[in-house]
Amino acid sequence: MTRSKLAEALAATALATPQDLLGAHAEKRRGKGGVCVTSWHPEAVATQLLLPDGGDHTMRRIRAGLFEVWLPGADLPLRYRVRHHFESGTHWERDDPYRFPSTLGEVDLHLFAEGTHRKLWSVLGANPRCIDGVDGVAFAVWAPHAARVSVVGDFCHWDGRVLPMCKRGGPGVFELFVPGVEPGAHYKFEILTTDGGIRLKTDPLARRMELPPGSASLVESSDYVWNDDAWMEARRRSDPRRLPLAIYEVHLGSWMRVPEDGNRPLSYRESAPRLAAHALQLGMTHIELMPVTEYPFDDSWGYQVSGYFAPTVRYGPPDDLRHFVDHCHAQGLGVILDWVPAHFPRDDFALRRFDGPTLYEYADPRLGEHPDWGTLVFDYGRNEVRNFLMASALYWLEEFHFDGLRVDAVASMLYRDYSRKQGEWSPNVYGGNENLEAASFLRGLNEVLAEEHPGCFSVAEESTSWPGVTSPTSEGGLGFTFKWNMGWMNDTLEYFARDSAHRRYHHDELTFAAVYEHSERFIMPLSHDEIVHGKGSLLERMPGDRWQKLANLRLLLAYQWMRPGGKLIFMGTELAPHREWTHRESLDWHLAEDPDRRGLQTLLGDLGRLYREHPCLWQNDREAASFAWVDCSDRAQSVVSFLRSDDSETLLVTLNATPVPRDDYRVGVPTPGPWRLRLSTDATTYGGSGYTMDEVFWSEATPYHGQSHSIALPLPPLAGLVLSLGD
């Protein structure tokens, strides 16, 4: 393109490569070498070139807003500033953005094109930098279909003509270093599409965004000093598959609010000490945050993400989230982030049709549009999209020290026909319904997470029978560390919702999960999804009068804690509320004053301590020998008993799922000796009836339940007992 054509395209705000025209270029004139400097501001009526030695050169106007000067004998690189004069009599002096070299290396572009740049946020987005002694911000954005991209913001009066960005080769990245821009500046990208339309977009890699309903990106720079070196080193050397895992799932906006201050939610900093202390009191090992990646719509609870690298500012700036994680680590708590790579919202300021046509989403609506949630599905077959998501996952582990990612809606990613009717989906290349590209992405993601952050873990919310979700990728699995056991959750809640008189007819709902117990590494979730949309609170789903409801809830939690697998409860479970959860209001903290609810909290704390203190409950969960039924066939009395054991200890767990107490209930045990009562959910401390119990039970040489010995237990009503072998 000739110089005049470049100038014409620039004036028409349609130039994708302004670096070909603007800035300093070596040029010979009249046989002499030198440098030609061309500067641009659409509103300037005059421009001066200012050199470091004090030299001042008036630039020649070659067309409206475009000025040049030739400096004979000058060499590149040339340091200079420009001073634009405006018709109002004001002027603007700055270092010329177009005199600086590209902030993107060829290796960066190559890695991004092949989908393997593991620190993508360090080259795309808005990165404060000092180049050639000048402070500013390096802006970069992927927009391969764009005819022109400009960075706009409060530093240029949001005028898309002022700062057109420079398109680089390879995957179609535009970049520009803008001197003088500081952290806190608001910005977006203005994109001219090939059909002449204008799209104003937030930065996909923005590290901070404006409080919704605003949608501007903010330049962010962190100076946070971490204090968790010991935690991070211990994490690096740990194997989360052989550690206790008890998770307290939290929606920060409704965990606790401040009524005297407009009912606002606690900030990251305010919630850190209170939430950590509360989780520890309940015996938890981890806090899981429902999505705090920025999102525009409160009613989505965070699951429709518009900022994959930006913590929501609803609760404070990014460094305050760092403080939250740091504080939890100091208290001995891990923190898990709920992360959403399955879909994104249609809000036009964000990823949707980012540079005109489809880019982040599949072009085919049979793949790219989610029928349930009205959202769009990522194109997992595109290298740059895979890299965007992979880098997002790494970003939260590296920059915010999260200890794990719970990956939302994995089933919707794995199946091309997920929630679609016949004719509304297209098969894969082999004619099947599997999304092979999504499966490949998940395998690659888990491999990279394990390489980059040993000791961290990933959790799949996956509700189908897809094989090998937690198997190694080397064996054809997806490579997740854990998988939510949705089958256990559904069967167990259905069982506990039944009247105790009818449970004998549905005994398999309580026991069936053991059939596939060791097929995956499971977490048993009693999550937020189970107490919304008319399902009722856990307490209200239990049958019987008030006492029986609470007793059933205590029994359910004991069953969950004593089974193999990680544990997850949603915030407020410990309060046993009557109403469903709502994200618009605080938990019913006044219920904590009720003695029975205090008892429930005490039970959870004791279960947590019992769980952590007995490695047989968590160290070898994947091994079949760690769990064995004593008896799972007593349908008539709705009683089950099982052993949890390893080489050093054995625990006996017995559950009575009816309100009928049973004296001298005989249970088989494998060895002679004393069996000491460790916990009864019927204890008065927990709000139970205090049914008479001995502290120690001696086994008899009476074979029972296929065991060589047995003990006679008094079974309290709707209660669970935990006994340990030996003193």
Side-chain angles (χ1 to χ4, degrees):
M1 190 180 294
T2 65
R3 187 174 177 80
S4 62
K5 289 291 186 182
L6 289 169
E8 183 179 332
L10 178 67
T13 65
L15 182 59
T17 57
Q19 70 270 27
D20 293 342
L21 174 65
L22 302 179
H25 298 267
E27 184 176 314
K28 282 188 176 182
R29 292 189 181 182
R30 298 182 295 276
K32 295 182 179 180
V35 172
C36 180
V37 178
T38 307
S39 182
W40 161 256
H41 192 293
E43 299 296 326
V45 295
T47 298
Q48 294 167 279
L49 180 77
L50 310 175
L51 296 174
D53 62 5
D56 180 343
H57 299 268
T58 298
M59 303 183 75
R60 181 174 66 91
R61 181 179 181 274
I62 56 177
R63 64 181 302 155
L66 192 63
F67 301 84
E68 74 168 21
V69 63
W70 183 63
L71 304 175
D75 294 316
L76 295 177
L78 183 70
R79 298 182 66 189
Y80 66 93
R81 293 169 64 84
V82 292
R83 182 184 294 142
H84 298 299
H85 296 267
F86 305 106
E87 191 171 353
S88 63
T90 60
H91 70 270
W92 180 19
E93 184 178 318
R94 64 174 184 176
D95 284 270
D96 185 3
Y98 300 95
R99 80 167 178 85
F100 295 91
S102 172
T103 59
L104 288 168
E106 290 300 320
V107 173
D108 292 320
L109 293 172
H110 173 76
L111 293 176
F112 180 45
E114 70 175 16
T116 59
H117 201 303
R118 296 188 179 184
K119 288 196 174 183
L120 191 64
W121 64 91
S122 68
V123 293
L124 296 188
N127 286 282
R129 291 187 181 174
C130 181
I131 300 179
D132 196 21
V134 178
D135 291 328
V137 174
F139 294 97
V141 63
W142 178 52
H145 304 120
R148 183 264 303 168
V149 179
S150 296
V151 58
V152 296
D154 45 21
F155 43 83
C156 66
H157 303 291
W158 299 92
D159 188 337
R161 300 172 299 167
V162 175
L163 294 169
M165 300 175 73
C166 305
K167 188 174 185 178
R168 303 299 178 184
V173 174
F174 289 76
E175 59 92 21
L176 188 68
F177 175 72
V178 184
V181 177
E182 298 179 346
H186 292 58
Y187 72 98
K188 285 190 176 184
F189 295 118
E190 183 183 280
I191 298 172
L192 175 68
T193 63
T194 53
D195 62 3
I198 295 289
R199 301 184 67 71
L200 192 59
K201 292 288 192 175
T202 55
D203 179 3
L205 281 91
R207 280 172 265 176
R208 185 173 179 179
M209 292 176 67
E210 196 176 16
L211 182 67
S215 58
S217 305
L218 275 71
V219 176
E220 174 66 12
S221 179
S222 173
D223 57 2
Y224 187 81
V225 178
W226 288 91
N227 298 292
D228 64 348
D229 289 351
W231 174 277
M232 297 294 282
E233 176 59 24
R235 185 182 81 179
R236 188 186 66 79
R237 293 183 281 103
S238 70
D239 181 353
R241 299 168 298 180
R242 294 188 177 275
L243 292 173
L245 184 61
I247 302 167
Y248 188 64
E249 185 191 28
V250 173
H251 179 263
L252 271 181
S254 57
W255 183 72
M256 185 177 289
R257 293 191 170 222
V258 187
E260 59 271 21
D261 191 9
N263 201 36
R264 67 169 179 82
L266 295 181
S267 67
Y268 294 122
R269 283 189 176 269
E270 290 171 324
S271 62
R274 303 185 203 188
L275 182 49
H278 185 69
L280 287 171
Q281 182 184 13
L282 298 178
M284 301 296 162
T285 64
H286 290 73
I287 292 171
E288 178 177 312
L289 297 180
M290 288 170 63
V292 292
T293 40
E294 193 58 86
Y295 55 99
F297 186 44
D298 284 346
D299 287 353
S300 80
W301 310 334
Y303 288 99
Q304 295 192 8
V305 177
S306 56
Y308 277 83
F309 293 78
T312 180
V313 296
R314 288 168 174 84
Y315 317 123
D319 276 354
D320 284 6
L321 177 57
R322 290 182 172 93
H323 170 82
F324 177 94
V325 177
D326 206 2
H327 179 81
C328 288
H329 286 173
Q331 303 305 307
L333 281 167
V335 188
I336 304 165
L337 175 68
D338 207 337
W339 184 65
V340 190
H343 61 124
F344 59 92
R346 293 175 178 267
D347 298 75
D348 206 48
F349 67 81
L351 296 179
R352 174 183 174 270
R353 293 187 175 271
F354 186 77
D355 58 356
T358 55
L359 184 65
Y360 286 89
E361 66 269 44
Y362 282 109
D364 186 343
R366 295 175 299 173
L367 285 173
E369 297 181 5
H370 200 290
D372 282 352
W373 304 316
T375 51
L376 301 173
V377 179
F378 284 104
D379 183 351
Y380 305 107
R382 188 158 196 163
N383 285 347
E384 297 90 345
V385 174
R386 292 164 65 103
N387 201 161
F388 171 80
L389 290 171
M390 179 265 288
S392 170
L394 289 171
Y395 176 75
W396 296 104
L397 300 182
E398 183 159 331
E399 296 290 331
F400 288 84
H401 291 198
F402 280 100
D403 302 288
L405 298 175
R406 180 264 192 185
V407 183
D408 180 64
V410 170
S412 75
M413 299 171 65
L414 291 174
Y415 295 97
R416 297 165 73 98
D417 62 344
Y418 184 89
S419 209
R420 290 178 171 87
K421 300 175 183 176
Q422 189 67 33
E424 296 178 347
W425 62 279
S426 60
N428 62 34
V429 293
Y430 302 109
N433 67 339
E434 302 88 354
N435 188 325
L436 304 177
E437 298 161 347
S440 171
F441 162 71
L442 291 170
R443 291 188 187 98
L445 171 70
N446 285 315
E447 289 172 353
V448 169
L449 294 182
E451 291 171 9
E452 293 287 328
H453 296 283
C456 289
F457 57 88
S458 60
V459 182
E461 186 212 12
E462 205 285 315
S463 54
T464 74
S465 56
W466 185 282
V469 172
T470 59
S471 295
T473 57
S474 60
E475 299 175 7
L478 295 181
F480 282 95
T481 321
F482 302 105
K483 170 182 172 174
W484 272 21
N485 193 337
M486 308 295 280
W488 172 87
M489 178 273 297
N490 283 316
D491 288 349
T492 301
L493 289 182
E494 284 192 23
Y495 179 84
F496 273 88
R498 300 186 187 281
D499 187 283
S500 58
H502 300 152
R503 287 176 176 172
R504 64 173 63 192
Y505 306 112
H506 304 277
H507 198 66
D508 290 346
E509 291 175 344
L510 191 66
T511 61
F512 180 67
V515 173
Y516 57 88
E517 189 65 59
H518 304 289
S519 62
E520 302 278 6
R521 284 188 297 272
F522 283 121
I523 290 173
M524 293 169 288
L526 296 176
S527 74
H528 67 276
D529 281 328
E530 309 320 313
I531 53 170
V532 290
H533 304 320
K535 295 177 183 176
S537 70
L538 286 183
L539 180 71
E540 291 305 319
R541 293 172 75 168
M542 303 292 119
D545 57 21
R546 181 180 184 276
W547 188 91
Q548 289 189 21
K549 287 178 182 292
L550 285 163
N552 270 301
L553 185 53
R554 294 192 298 268
L555 178 63
L556 167 62
L557 292 171
Y559 177 49
Q560 180 187 26
W561 247 251
M562 293 300 104
R563 291 186 81 261
K567 333 296 176 188
L568 181 144
I569 62 169
F570 184 54
M571 65 180 198
T573 300
E574 70 277 18
L575 299 173
H578 295 284
R579 65 184 178 101
E580 290 187 340
W581 168 64
T582 170
H583 67 284
R584 298 185 180 91
E585 300 176 26
S586 176
L587 294 181
D588 294 329
W589 289 106
H590 64 277
L591 294 176
E593 301 304 313
D594 173 55
D596 290 335
R597 266 73 175 210
R598 285 202 302 271
L600 182 62
Q601 292 184 54
T602 302
L603 171 65
L604 273 167
D606 287 350
L607 282 170
R609 279 183 286 276
L610 183 69
Y611 173 62
R612 291 195 309 275
E613 291 169 1
H614 292 274
C616 67
L617 292 173
W618 43 264
Q619 197 166 53
N620 300 304
D621 270 357
R622 191 75 185 272
E623 298 172 15
S626 72
F627 172 91
W629 287 116
V630 173
D631 180 41
C632 61
S633 61
D634 190 354
R635 299 171 177 270
Q637 299 184 88
S638 299
V639 176
V640 296
S641 52
F642 54 86
L643 297 170
R644 299 300 312 277
S645 59
D646 60 17
D647 292 339
S648 61
E649 62 177 343
T650 300
L651 297 181
L652 170 67
V653 180
T654 305
L655 310 175
N656 177 15
T658 72
V660 179
R662 306 186 188 282
D663 290 324
D664 296 323
Y665 187 91
R666 188 161 294 277
V667 179
V669 292
T671 58
W675 290 80
R676 183 173 297 277
L677 181 67
R678 295 298 180 185
L679 183 140
S680 167
T681 65
D682 188 57
T684 55
T685 307
Y686 307 139
S689 69
Y691 196 74
T692 302
M693 294 289 295
D694 293 331
E695 289 297 317
V696 178
F697 298 86
W698 288 88
S699 63
E700 304 170 15
T702 303
Y704 207 72
H705 290 147
Q707 307 288 340
S708 61
H709 289 68
S710 59
I711 55 177
L713 293 173
L715 297 187
L718 291 172
L721 304 178
V722 182
L723 293 87
S724 64
L725 175 61
D727 296 330

